[in-house]
Amino acid sequence: MPAGPFNLSAALPQTPEIVAMDVHKSYNGREVLKGISATFRRGEITAIVGHSGSGKTVFLDHLTGLQSPDEGRGSIKVVHHGLKGLPLVELIGIDPDVLDEVRLFWAVVFQHNALFTGTVQDNIALWMREHTELPERKIKARVREALEAVRLDVDDVVEKERDSLSGGMAKRVAIARAIAMDPCVIFYDEPTTGLDPVVGGHVHDLIWDVHHRPIASQGAGASAGGVGGAGGTTMRRTSIIITHDRDLLRRISPRIIMLDGGSVIFDGPYE
């Protein structure tokens, strides 16, 4: 990670990865998103910031297809990395099977990690067992690679049960699970919440390192290669972060989208 602020976006092409246009969302007559528009460019790190209740998490849920805008009040288009030419497809009203195809190239690190009951290996291997044809020996090898990438002692943690992990270890396992998927787009929802400053600093480094790991240009999610999409033409990963962590912002200097009252009030470089 660079020692000081570095404007990564200035050196990147302006290829869109996700485009949100005039997104509105209301609950029981209360408008939470008030016509939000934003373009997330390929290879960029973008942080969505704002006070609690500003609409950050609701907006993230729309970007990942977990929620849809009010009828006729918004458009969200995303790149389909599984199709030749990487077309932008409309997320709203998308066929569920096509949405599943799009999500094969995404990963989400949830605020509370979303690890299921079982071992660390089970948590990281599940996606590969469900969505690739990798033999078990290669799956186990990728699990180990992913754990090494997040600087965990593999032999110590790989067979640990979820409930025996500390908060910092659980967060690293959640990031390792994302790395093992080798996604083109990775979403983080409050990745350092509840962590002490030292562990939080390690997570800052991991976010930076994961963003800059090489990925395969086509089929990253379904790749049968090693962690990092070895063997393919490389492209840049896109990272989108919901955060309150000012130290994280200072250290990685992302593009900032600031929300207030369900509207974008700032969109520009960290500086």
Side-chain angles (χ1 to χ4, degrees):
M1 180 180 293
F6 173 64
N7 188 356
L8 179 66
S9 300
L12 293 173
Q14 302 300 299
T15 307
E17 182 71 48
I18 301 175
V19 180
M21 297 181 62
D22 198 30
V23 175
H24 293 255
K25 187 67 175 181
S26 296
Y27 301 98
N28 299 319
R30 175 176 172 265
E31 196 169 20
V32 177
L33 302 182
K34 301 177 180 179
I36 290 182
S37 296
T39 297
F40 298 88
R41 295 177 286 270
R42 187 169 306 153
E44 194 170 46
I45 305 178
T46 302
I48 303 173
V49 304
H51 61 79
S52 298
S54 60
K56 302 186 304 299
T57 298
V58 174
F59 186 40
L60 182 67
D61 286 348
H62 282 69
L63 297 178
T64 56
L66 294 177
Q67 295 193 53
S68 296
D70 294 339
E71 187 173 355
R73 306 199 71 192
S75 170
I76 299 175
K77 294 183 179 181
V78 301
V79 171
H80 190 328
H81 285 273
L83 296 179
K84 186 176 181 179
L86 307 182
L88 281 166
V89 298
E90 177 60 61
L91 201 60
I92 300 164
I94 193 172
D95 182 278
D97 290 338
V98 178
L99 178 57
D100 286 344
E101 292 173 4
V102 170
R103 284 175 170 161
L104 288 176
F105 302 88
W106 293 354
V108 181
V109 177
F110 296 93
Q111 180 174 350
H112 299 295
N113 305 321
L115 302 179
F116 59 81
T117 301
T119 66
V120 167
Q121 179 159 266
D122 291 338
N123 271 273
I124 299 173
L126 177 64
W127 184 91
M128 290 181 281
R129 290 169 177 160
E130 291 292 322
H131 298 292
T132 76
E133 297 180 357
L134 288 171
E136 189 64 20
R137 63 180 178 80
K138 288 192 175 181
I139 290 175
K140 289 183 177 180
R142 286 183 67 170
V143 169
R144 295 183 69 88
E145 288 174 24
L147 289 171
E148 288 170 356
V150 298
R151 305 170 204 166
L152 284 171
D153 183 329
V154 179
D155 293 328
D156 180 55
V157 304
V158 70
E159 295 298 336
K160 279 184 179 289
E161 293 289 328
R162 177 197 65 181
D163 294 340
S164 68
L165 301 174
S166 67
M169 290 174 69
K171 183 63 66 179
R172 290 185 184 214
V173 171
I175 295 174
R177 180 171 59 185
I179 293 174
M181 294 167 63
D182 197 19
C184 296
V185 183
I186 185 165
F187 302 90
Y188 297 87
D189 186 5
E190 299 287 5
T192 56
T193 294
L195 302 180
D196 67 58
V198 173
V199 175
H202 293 323
V203 173
H204 300 167
D205 292 340
L206 284 175
I207 291 171
W208 179 265
D209 292 344
V210 170
H211 180 78
H212 291 89
R213 292 180 69 86
I215 58 175
S217 64
Q218 295 287 336
S223 169
V227 173
T233 303
T234 59
M235 64 183 293
R236 298 191 70 95
R237 198 181 317 277
T238 304
S239 300
I240 299 173
I241 310 166
I242 299 285
T243 187
H244 284 96
D245 187 341
R246 288 179 292 181
D247 286 336
L248 171 61
L249 301 179
R250 177 182 56 81
R251 295 191 71 194
I252 69 174
S253 301
R255 168 191 171 195
I256 302 288
I257 294 177
M258 182 176 289
L259 304 185
D260 183 58
S263 299
V264 175
I265 62 169
F266 177 81
D267 183 351
Y270 170 82
E271 291 78 1

